[in-house]
């Protein structure tokens, strides 16, 4: 008769396992969906990083008006949102005029205008992925 007790105990354990897996299934499905989304976001981020390249084509400072014009060139194959660009002047973040453009398309340029600039030494342009270009070659006109 001990075989009947073992069979009953095994059946109870298996029923508990089935019930436990049934209860856990929605959580497992949600976790798998989160993992898929994370992998897609990582792939998109890696692709964006690989396709981003920016450079400073020119930087011109007008001593009379205290205006610094910086021409930013998109050398990558990804479209750059202008609001994602930061500009550092002499190592300090500066607000700049966006002009009327929203994006910089591949192989295109935009001009950033910084006002009330005195004694510019270096300028650095940084995009959303941290890709940057820096120059100390600033042409001064009077």
């Amino acid at each position: 008769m001990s075989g009947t007790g073992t069979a009953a105990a095994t059946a109870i354990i298996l029923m508990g396992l089935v019930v436990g897996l049934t209860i856990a299934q929605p959580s497992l499905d949600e976790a798998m969906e989160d993992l898929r989304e994370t992998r897609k976001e990582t792939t998109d981020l890696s692709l964006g990083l690989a396709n981003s390249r920016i450079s400073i084509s020119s930087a011109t400072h007008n001593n009379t008006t205290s205006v610094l014009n910086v021409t930013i060139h998109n050398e990558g194959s990804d479209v750059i949102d202008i609001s994602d660009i930061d500009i550092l002047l002499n190592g300090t973040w500066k607000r700049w005029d966006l002009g009327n453009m929203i994006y910089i398309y591949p192989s295109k340029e935009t001009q950033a205008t910084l006002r009330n600039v005195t004694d510019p030494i270096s300028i650095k342009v940084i995009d959303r992925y941290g890709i940057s270009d820096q120059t100390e070659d600033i042409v001064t006109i009077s």
Side-chain angles (χ1 to χ4, degrees):
M1 290 265 192
S2 67
T4 305
T6 305
T10 303
I12 291 171
I13 290 172
L14 287 176
M15 286 300 292
L17 184 62
V18 168
V19 169
L21 288 175
T22 303
I23 292 171
Q25 185 62 36
S27 296
L28 293 173
D29 287 342
E30 188 176 328
M32 288 302 294
E33 184 60 31
D34 288 347
L35 184 60
R36 278 188 214 99
E37 287 177 21
T38 302
R39 283 185 179 161
K40 184 181 180 326
E41 288 172 8
T42 302
T43 301
D44 292 345
L45 181 64
S46 296
L47 188 60
L49 182 61
N51 292 331
S52 292
R53 293 288 173 260
I54 61 172
S55 66
I56 299 172
S57 298
S58 66
T60 307
H61 179 247
N62 187 327
N63 270 339
T64 308
T65 60
S66 298
V67 172
L68 176 66
N69 289 314
V70 180
T71 305
I72 303 168
H73 182 76
N74 182 356
E75 294 181 345
S77 60
D78 207 14
V79 176
I80 298 174
D81 188 340
I82 287 186
S83 64
D84 291 336
I85 294 177
D86 289 318
I87 296 180
L88 300 178
L89 176 65
N90 301 337
T92 304
W93 181 84
K94 288 291 187 181
R95 183 173 308 279
W96 57 286
D97 184 10
L98 302 172
N100 59 357
M101 294 185 69
I102 299 172
Y103 302 106
I104 308 174
Y105 294 98
S107 301
K108 300 295 181 188
E109 295 180 336
T110 190
Q111 187 167 341
T113 302
L114 290 85
R115 303 191 189 292
N116 301 322
V117 175
T118 57
D119 193 31
I121 297 170
S122 70
I123 186 122
K124 186 171 191 171
V125 177
I126 308 164
D127 78 354
R128 68 179 277 197
Y129 299 109
I131 307 294
S132 64
D133 189 24
Q134 181 171 348
T135 187
E136 293 176 357
D137 186 23
I138 301 170
V139 177
T140 304
I141 52 177
S142 300

